[in-house]
């Protein structure tokens, strides 16, 4: 019997920005595999790809922060931290953040609450490392509903980067029959533009066909232009 990877989609996750660094060198990334592991002392774990710059910063500094994102977080914000590399740009430029008691940055934009952790241990998970940290500070920024991974996919139509621990290479895009307007998929990040939903974060009304999108419209997740999209057959 072959493995049914669709079973993985039944697992619940949240959406977070995990950040680290120090001495004016910061980086952060989107993570969904993050969870509390003990109550006394309070400890939190995050799973980070070894190729990511944030992984390097966590190893060097021994600390990390976790910003819990609100449900209304724009897809562009998630794409900024999830599909762009800190080796190519300063992810914290024009982003609301503060320096926490650990010396690591805390993203406060689109954030409901945050945690600051000092590394107590780690586990090698092959392509990823599971970092376990003791929570040394936790603060509520504002009230609201946290974004779940399911909401990001089903409502925001978001996708996972290839370095995410939950990424499934063979994920199929299911199409409903008798669609009047075709969908288009970004060849870079696999975001799907659905004319029936439009792109509210970019001011695109539902019912706008891909052909009628402004020439300067870009993928709300990774920022590439319309020429990087392909029609879904």
């Amino acid at each position: 019997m072959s493995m049914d990877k669709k079973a993985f989609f039944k697992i619940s996750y949240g959406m977070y920005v995990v950040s680290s660094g120090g001495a004016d060198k910061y980086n952060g990334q989107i993570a969904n595999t993050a969870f509390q592991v003990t109550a006394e002392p309070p400890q939190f774990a995050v799973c980070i790809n070894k190729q990511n710059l944030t992984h390097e910063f966590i190893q060097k500094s021994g600390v990390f922060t976790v910003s819990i994102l609100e449900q209304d977080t724009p897809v562009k914000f998630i794409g900024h931290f999830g599909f762009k590399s800190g080796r190519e740009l300063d992810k914290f430029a024009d982003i609301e953040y503060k320096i926490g008691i650990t010396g690591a940055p805390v993203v406060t934009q689109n954030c409901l609450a945050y945690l600051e952790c000092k590394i107590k241990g780690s586990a090698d998970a092959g392509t990823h490392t599971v970092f376990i940290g003791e929570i040394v500070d936790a603060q509520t920024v504002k009230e609201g509903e946290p974004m779940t991974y399911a909401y990001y996919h089903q409502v925001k139509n978001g996708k996972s980067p290839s370095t995410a621990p939950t990424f499934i290479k063979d994920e199929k895009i299911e199409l409903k029959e008798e669609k009047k307007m075709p969908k288009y998929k970004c060849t870079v990040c696999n975001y799907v533009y659905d004319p029936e939903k439009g792109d509210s974060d970019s001011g695109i009304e539902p019912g706008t066909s891909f052909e009628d999108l402004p020439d300067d419209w870009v993928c709300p997740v990774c920022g590439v232009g319309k020429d990087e999209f392909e029609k879904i057959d």
Side-chain angles (χ1 to χ4, degrees):
M1 179 182 296
S2 62
M3 182 184 299
D4 180 10
K5 292 185 178 180
K6 289 183 179 179
F8 300 163
F9 298 150
K10 304 300 182 183
I11 304 172
S12 298
Y13 301 93
M15 292 291 284
Y16 314 93
V17 176
V18 175
S19 306
S20 189
D24 298 327
K25 292 183 178 180
Y26 311 129
N27 198 62
Q29 66 165 78
I30 293 294
N32 55 32
T33 310
F35 50 94
Q36 185 175 351
V37 291
T38 60
E40 292 295 337
Q43 294 185 107
F44 202 81
V46 293
C47 187
I48 306 296
N49 191 286
K50 294 176 180 178
Q51 298 178 8
N52 293 355
L53 184 60
T54 303
H55 184 281
E56 178 182 323
F57 281 12
I58 292 175
Q59 284 188 317
K60 288 183 177 179
S61 67
V63 298
F64 64 86
T65 67
V66 180
S67 299
I68 303 169
L69 297 180
E70 61 182 334
Q71 186 169 272
D72 294 332
T73 300
V75 174
K76 286 185 178 180
F77 181 88
I78 296 174
H80 176 76
F81 280 100
F83 284 90
K84 297 181 180 179
S85 172
R87 295 184 175 89
E88 300 173 357
L89 79 162
D90 179 4
K91 290 189 179 182
F92 285 84
D94 302 321
I95 294 293
E96 297 173 13
Y97 73 97
K98 70 175 188 177
I99 303 303
I101 64 173
T102 59
V106 177
V107 174
T108 56
Q109 187 172 338
N110 301 307
C111 172
L112 295 179
Y114 66 84
L115 313 172
E116 292 194 63
C117 303
K118 289 186 177 180
I119 299 295
K120 290 298 181 181
S122 64
D124 190 329
T127 58
H128 292 65
T129 298
V130 179
F131 293 104
I132 301 172
E134 181 175 352
I135 302 173
V136 296
D137 192 25
Q139 300 294 333
T140 298
V141 177
K142 60 181 176 181
E143 298 299 324
E145 289 294 324
M147 178 179 282
T148 64
Y149 195 52
Y151 185 90
Y152 169 64
H153 275 270
Q154 296 169 9
V155 179
K156 292 288 190 177
N157 204 26
K159 301 298 177 182
S160 302
S162 60
T163 55
T166 53
F167 176 77
I168 297 178
K169 184 176 181 180
D170 296 327
E171 180 180 353
K172 302 294 184 181
I173 299 173
E174 297 182 359
L175 300 176
K176 295 180 181 180
E177 295 180 356
E178 298 181 357
K179 290 291 185 182
K180 293 183 180 180
M181 292 182 288
K183 298 178 182 179
Y184 281 76
K185 182 179 71 173
C186 176
T187 58
V188 176
C189 71
N190 290 327
Y191 167 83
V192 175
Y193 175 75
D194 184 348
E196 289 193 356
K197 297 180 179 179
D199 176 12
S200 60
D201 290 342
S202 301
I204 305 299
E205 296 291 334
T208 304
S209 68
F210 185 82
E211 291 79 8
D212 290 336
L213 291 173
D215 291 338
D216 60 354
W217 180 84
V218 297
C219 175
V221 175
C222 68
V224 299
K226 293 173 63 178
D227 57 338
E228 296 291 345
F229 278 71
E230 63 181 11
K231 183 179 178 180
I232 298 177
D233 296 325

